[in-house]
Amino acid sequence: MTRKKVKLAFITNDSARKATFKKRKKGLMKKVSELSTLCGIDACAIVYSPYESSPEVWPDLRGAQRVVSQFKRMPEMEQSKKMVNQESFIRNRISKAADQLKKVHKDNREKEITQLMYQCLTGKGLQGLGVADLNDMGWLLDQNLKEIYKRIEGLKRAAPASGSEVVEEKAAVAEIGGGGGVDGSAAAMQRGQQWFTEWMGNNNININPSANQQQQMGSSSFGHNGGGDEMIMGGFNDGNNNHPATMWSNVFFP
Amino acid sequence: MAKKPSMGRQKIKIQKIEVKNHLQVTFSKRRSGLFKKASELCTLCGVEIAIIVFSPAGKVFSFGHPNVESIIDRYLTRNPNPNNSITDPFNLAEAQRSASVRDLNLQLGQIVNELEMERKRGENLDNMRKTNENHYWWESPVCKLGLEELEQLKEAMEELKKNVTLQGSKMMNSTSIFGSNVAGVFDQYESKPNQAILGSNSGASINNNFGYCHGFF
């Protein structure tokens, strides 16, 4: 079957039109038949054409007559409620397509701005950008930050005994060092320290931000979180910035 | 927002569907598709059609060109001669209707094309993003990031947000005279405001800006 795109307009070429008519009429009848069988419903199709004096009908003359009578027996309102003609049908299609277009356009815009945002995060300048782009990027940043805050919150809550809180509060160092422990339980602190010891000693903490690495880290549960929650220590940025590593070492390896 | 993968084309047996839910969904989709095919047949070949379909719930759907009633009446009366108003070239109402259907089809064709192009564009953007996600950790979805990464990303984003807001207000200030169409007008120009003109906001520098205005209006 050819899959050439057909323009939705009257076919001016007589023979082409006739050929198309034959094929499509056949297909239409097949579709009505399938619909009727699959869903167990009554239906009929009546097709008048310049090529035949009498109409082509599905299922057959009697069957179609029956369905038509059934139709006419229904109250006027019911008949017209879901009745359409070319105009209304096409208008409806246009409206649906327009809605879809709006949505896809919006999604694409978001994708574009996301890309722009990442470019700006990695150094692209803001000079050439229009107000609309800036506005949208600002909004997107807010959305992302919201998600990040939530997730940071979640992660911290999931593993309070670990040194994650240390990242923020250098003051907490004293507590941890003193064995009092952030959550008050010595065992938990032990756990936390053990976990960090492992982590520090473990030279697997590669500064390579590749996705594989990430997953490796993500899934390797440092195993000692009693709650069963995994503390996911992701990869770190490139080797030039040892910032986080040094921070840890300050705390645990004085 | 990635499109959820559907089941795709499945071959099914043509027999009554057992699962009620599937049946209803199938009815809805196929009825819609049937009317679409009928509509296309009418447009492409200039024929007259009526289709009547009863739903599983007992409601009735119908499609007709030029309209359901005239086709039904014609069929019931076994009138071999079609209602002349349809082919009568002097029937203004019919002519107008045909013209409007033609226009509508054109419109439909255009918008369907646009939709297809936008969808393709979206696909390209998705592919680009996927490639980037594999190379740069910060482009991964937030849920895949670890605490340390999140903190870094957070700081970078907060910093960027600050700059964006700053840049945005800089631009807004230099163009507040011109109202909300700012973005469209100024996109073509340097975002750096002309120092001579930018005294302050609105009010005070109206006079200064008149010179500027002439360039645009």
Side-chain angles (χ1 to χ4, degrees):
Chain A
M1 281 281 109
T2 50
R3 276 278 169 259
K4 263 191 299 243
K5 191 139 181 213
V6 181
K7 251 176 56 185
L8 264 174
F10 183 71
I11 300 175
T12 42
N13 183 319
D14 288 342
S15 53
R17 189 172 68 245
K18 185 166 183 190
T20 299
F21 173 73
K22 274 185 83 179
K23 283 195 201 147
R24 281 182 173 254
K25 179 192 47 72
K26 185 170 173 206
L28 189 72
M29 297 307 189
K30 183 174 178 202
K31 289 279 184 188
V32 188
S33 168
E34 288 182 350
L35 177 60
S36 177
T37 308
L38 285 170
C39 302
I41 48 103
D42 287 328
C44 75
I46 302 168
V47 180
Y48 283 99
S49 75
Y51 312 116
E52 310 270 338
S53 49
S54 45
E56 282 207 52
V57 172
W58 188 90
D60 54 27
L61 293 169
R62 301 238 69 196
Q65 183 122 22
R66 196 172 45 81
V67 174
V68 169
S69 310
Q70 196 179 345
F71 177 73
K72 292 209 89 136
R73 271 200 302 267
M74 298 195 80
E76 278 279 345
M77 267 195 72
E78 281 298 315
Q79 285 182 32
S80 33
K81 210 192 268 187
K82 293 292 185 179
M83 188 188 287
V84 294
N85 59 14
Q86 274 281 60
E87 255 175 297
S88 52
F89 185 71
I90 298 173
R91 261 188 233 280
N92 200 307
R93 276 191 74 192
I94 291 175
S95 150
K96 288 213 180 104
D99 287 342
Q100 287 178 317
L101 183 62
K102 235 167 85 174
K103 179 174 187 295
V104 175
H105 192 72
K106 181 167 153 256
D107 290 345
N108 284 353
R109 172 80 180 154
E110 186 172 329
K111 290 174 189 171
E112 272 181 336
I113 295 296
T114 304
Q115 225 185 28
L116 185 63
M117 176 185 79
Y118 283 129
Q119 284 172 345
C120 294
L121 277 173
T122 51
K124 179 178 160 113
L126 297 180
Q127 287 312 106
L129 301 181
V131 175
D133 285 350
L134 288 172
N135 249 337
D136 289 344
M137 192 166 25
W139 177 88
L140 190 65
L141 282 163
D142 283 338
Q143 296 299 107
N144 273 299
L145 281 169
K146 252 194 265 185
E147 232 192 300
I148 290 178
Y149 294 147
K150 228 173 45 179
R151 179 135 164 97
I152 289 181
E153 192 75 22
L155 285 179
K156 288 193 173 156
R157 255 180 304 145
S162 72
S164 61
E165 288 172 41
V166 173
V167 178
E168 294 189 0
E169 314 287 326
K170 292 234 174 116
V173 166
E175 287 182 332
I176 293 170
V182 178
D183 64 356
S185 102
M189 275 332 297
Q190 197 72 333
R191 229 172 28 228
Q193 281 189 327
Q194 208 175 359
W195 173 65
F196 273 112
T197 314
E198 252 192 48
W199 170 74
M200 280 308 285
N202 185 355
N203 283 331
N204 279 343
I205 310 304
N206 203 332
I207 314 291
N208 179 355
S210 73
N212 282 340
Q213 199 68 20
Q214 248 171 280
Q215 276 167 353
Q216 230 176 353
M217 301 252 234
S219 58
S220 70
S221 118
F222 290 96
H224 301 283
N225 289 339
D229 292 317
E230 284 191 306
M231 179 64 182
I232 299 173
M233 289 303 293
F236 299 83
N237 59 10
D238 64 39
N240 295 332
N241 186 353
N242 287 326
H243 199 247
T246 29
M247 202 172 2
W248 297 122
S249 57
N250 277 339
V251 173
F252 292 102
F253 300 90
Chain B
M1 241 184 298
K3 204 162 89 165
K4 211 194 252 184
S6 65
M7 277 181 75
R9 284 226 144 116
Q10 309 276 321
K11 186 149 178 124
I12 53 165
K13 273 198 98 169
I14 302 301
Q15 61 193 24
K16 174 118 188 263
I17 297 172
E18 294 303 312
V19 183
K20 186 167 179 213
N21 194 29
H22 293 179
L23 190 150
Q24 283 170 339
V25 171
T26 298
F27 175 79
S28 178
K29 287 181 164 183
R30 278 183 175 251
R31 181 206 56 78
S32 174
L34 181 67
F35 282 16
K36 183 174 165 208
K37 288 281 185 188
S39 171
E40 290 179 351
L41 182 53
C42 293
T43 300
L44 291 169
C45 305
V47 295
E48 298 178 356
I49 299 182
I51 299 189
I52 299 174
V53 172
F54 284 86
S55 78
K59 303 281 177 204
V60 67
F61 293 77
S62 54
F63 171 91
H65 177 64
N67 60 69
V68 174
E69 286 121 338
S70 67
I71 301 283
I72 288 185
D73 288 339
R74 186 172 158 190
Y75 182 66
L76 288 179
T77 63
R78 289 280 184 279
N79 185 356
N81 294 329
N83 185 346
N84 277 339
S85 70
I86 292 167
T87 48
D88 182 353
F90 297 110
N91 185 321
L92 205 58
E94 276 307 324
Q96 279 178 338
R97 225 173 305 170
S98 306
S100 98
V101 169
R102 249 198 321 270
D103 288 339
L104 286 171
N105 271 323
L106 271 172
Q107 212 184 329
L108 180 63
Q110 278 173 346
I111 209 171
V112 166
N113 274 341
E114 258 189 83
L115 185 58
E116 203 182 304
M117 287 197 311
E118 273 304 296
R119 286 219 167 110
K120 280 212 181 98
R121 197 162 77 99
E123 250 184 68
N124 288 340
L125 287 167
D126 282 340
N127 289 338
M128 256 195 294
R129 180 72 198 274
K130 265 210 181 87
T131 326
N132 287 345
E133 264 185 37
N134 287 332
H135 288 154
Y136 310 121
W137 65 263
W138 55 85
E139 293 215 21
S140 296
V142 168
C143 53
K144 291 211 185 113
L145 299 178
L147 188 60
E148 190 52 41
E149 291 166 323
L150 286 172
E151 297 276 1
Q152 276 181 34
L153 190 55
K154 176 185 83 135
E155 291 193 17
M157 282 195 172
E158 283 170 345
E159 181 66 26
L160 181 60
K161 175 79 206 290
K162 233 179 18 183
N163 292 333
V164 164
T165 314
L166 207 66
Q167 178 75 357
S169 56
K170 248 205 290 186
M171 293 184 69
M172 289 306 279
N173 282 342
S174 69
T175 64
S176 58
I177 293 291
F178 303 99
S180 56
N181 274 341
V182 157
V185 171
F186 274 79
D187 273 352
Q188 339 158 28
Y189 298 86
E190 291 282 60
S191 61
K192 226 164 60 156
N194 185 332
Q195 295 297 2
I197 290 176
L198 190 61
S200 60
N201 284 348
S202 38
S205 39
I206 293 252
N207 279 334
N208 287 345
N209 281 303
F210 270 128
Y212 205 32
C213 278
H214 285 312
F216 296 96
F217 305 119

